[in-house]
Amino acid sequence: MSLRIVVCVKYVPDATGDRHFADDLTVDRDDVDGLLSELDEYAVEQALQIADEADDAEITVLTVGPEDAKDALRKALSMGADKAIHVEDDDLHGTDVMGTSLVLAKAIEKAGYDLVITGMASTDGTMGVLPAILAERLGVPQVTLLSEVKVEDGTVTGRRDGDTASETLEASLPALVSVTDQSGEARYPSFKGIMAAKKKPVESWDLEELEIEAGEVGLEGSWTKVDSAAQRPARTAGTIVKDEGEGGKQLAEFLAGQKFI
Ligand SMILES: Cc1cc2nc3c(=O)[nH]c(=O)nc-3n(C[C@H](O)[C@H](O)[C@H](O)COP(=O)(O)OP(=O)(O)OC[C@H]3O[C@@H](n4cnc5c(N)ncnc54)[C@H](O)[C@@H]3O)c2cc1C
């Protein structure tokens, strides 16, 4: 039977762009270019490597995000994933991690899966907590922060590197794993891959299809609330220490004044 892998990928604002908050204190996603979260490229890469080793496997990439989030799905498809699911609904505006994990869980259950792969954290929210919440919602084992992953005989095995030791962990499928940026360089899409991606299926689902009430997500259904946000102060000109014989002393005094030493 085919190994069904679902990879969760997030469409994030380009970190090199000028990002700001909208009036309701949510991230303004309309005025900035977005892209597939770089850390999720590692998740797609691991899925492709697992599929290469398996007799028969199918990779579905899944995102919850606005219309433009399709760009992230196309990139993952051009890397080699087989099909994509885009969950989009106006009522998702302002959804926090609890709501996002609910939507992802319902979509993954509807799609069917043996293995869910996520990145270690998104490059915008960077909570790094969604994989654990998602595994709880699905009721499957979670093997997180892996730098190496293998699937064999219905078991997923992985290595988690800590500061002082590396652990080898395993879980029986179905399971969820998250992978780190140490898991192996993600491949660039080839020209052939980019062309092939244009013909791969992308399904769009809304909240109704997932049997989720509007009040369970969005700002109303969020467990967290942003009370205030302030613009980062403009950068001021740095202090220039001119060495006229006392440069070293002045430098030390400056560092001590800033409590660096
Ligand atoms: C339209 C929209 C509006 C939102 N508005 C808000 C808001 O106002 N306030 C707020 O707190 N949150 C909001 N969110 C949710 C937020 O952007 C995050 O998706 C969510 O809180 C998870 O946090 P994180 O990105 O830090 O996850 P992390 O735990 O850092 O992510 C780990 C991994 O989870 C997966 N993942 C995370 N998010 C998604 C996703 N959306 N789709 C697929 N995979 C994913 C990726 O594999 C990622 O590498 C919104 C989301 C959407 C789609």
Side-chain angles (χ1 to χ4, degrees):
M1 205 181 111
S2 178
L3 176 70
R4 297 163 303 167
I5 306 172
V6 178
V7 188
C8 297
V9 294
K10 189 175 183 189
Y11 177 76
V12 296
D14 187 345
T16 59
D18 189 17
R19 293 169 293 166
H20 44 266
F21 290 102
D23 291 344
D24 63 359
L25 298 181
T26 60
V27 175
D28 188 348
R29 290 163 200 269
D30 292 335
D31 280 348
V32 245
D33 288 336
L35 73 175
L36 167 63
S37 175
E38 280 170 29
L39 291 171
D40 293 346
E41 291 184 15
Y42 295 94
V44 177
E45 177 61 37
Q46 287 310 305
L48 293 168
Q49 290 187 22
I50 291 166
D52 281 348
E53 294 291 317
D55 292 336
D56 184 17
E58 183 180 61
I59 303 172
T60 303
V61 283
L62 165 67
T63 197
V64 177
E67 168 68 23
D68 290 347
K70 282 199 175 65
D71 291 354
L73 295 175
R74 285 280 168 224
K75 168 99 187 261
L77 291 172
S78 64
M79 288 171 73
D82 299 299
K83 57 183 190 151
I85 298 169
H86 181 197
V87 183
E88 187 197 1
D89 198 300
D90 287 348
D91 288 328
L92 282 170
H93 177 78
T95 307
D96 69 355
V97 69
M98 297 307 290
T100 305
S101 59
L102 173 71
V103 177
L104 286 171
K106 292 268 191 174
I108 289 166
E109 276 163 354
K110 185 171 155 79
Y113 69 102
D114 300 299
L115 179 67
V116 178
I117 307 183
T118 73
M120 61 192 280
S122 65
T123 53
D124 63 342
T126 58
M127 293 175 94
V129 75
L130 186 134
I133 301 173
L134 182 55
E136 279 296 310
R137 287 200 185 275
L138 293 169
V140 298
Q142 50 176 293
V143 192
T144 52
L145 300 173
L146 300 182
S147 48
E148 202 177 274
V149 198
K150 288 230 160 2
V151 174
E152 230 169 37
D153 302 329
T155 302
V156 57
T157 311
R159 196 185 76 233
R160 183 192 287 155
D161 296 323
D163 287 341
T164 52
S166 292
E167 301 166 303
T168 302
L169 304 141
E170 68 169 44
S172 52
L173 299 180
L176 176 146
V177 302
S178 71
V179 299
T180 70
D181 55 356
Q182 301 302 306
S183 57
E185 203 63 31
R187 68 194 68 185
Y188 284 107
S190 62
F191 179 68
K192 202 172 144 206
I194 294 168
M195 295 314 284
K198 293 182 198 282
K199 293 194 183 128
K200 290 181 179 173
V202 179
E203 282 189 53
S204 288
W205 293 347
D206 60 13
L207 290 178
E208 198 182 341
E209 252 159 313
L210 297 176
E211 295 175 4
I212 297 172
E213 299 289 328
E216 292 179 89
V217 293
L219 287 169
E220 196 189 327
S222 287
W223 290 29
T224 52
K225 183 170 173 279
V226 178
D227 280 333
S228 67
Q231 190 81 23
R232 189 172 47 194
R235 281 186 177 216
T236 51
T239 305
I240 297 173
V241 176
K242 228 172 167 186
D243 187 11
E244 287 164 351
E246 295 272 297
K249 192 166 167 264
Q250 282 181 53
L251 200 55
E253 278 169 5
F254 173 79
L255 293 173
Q258 301 292 320
K259 300 208 181 346
F260 287 134
I261 54 173

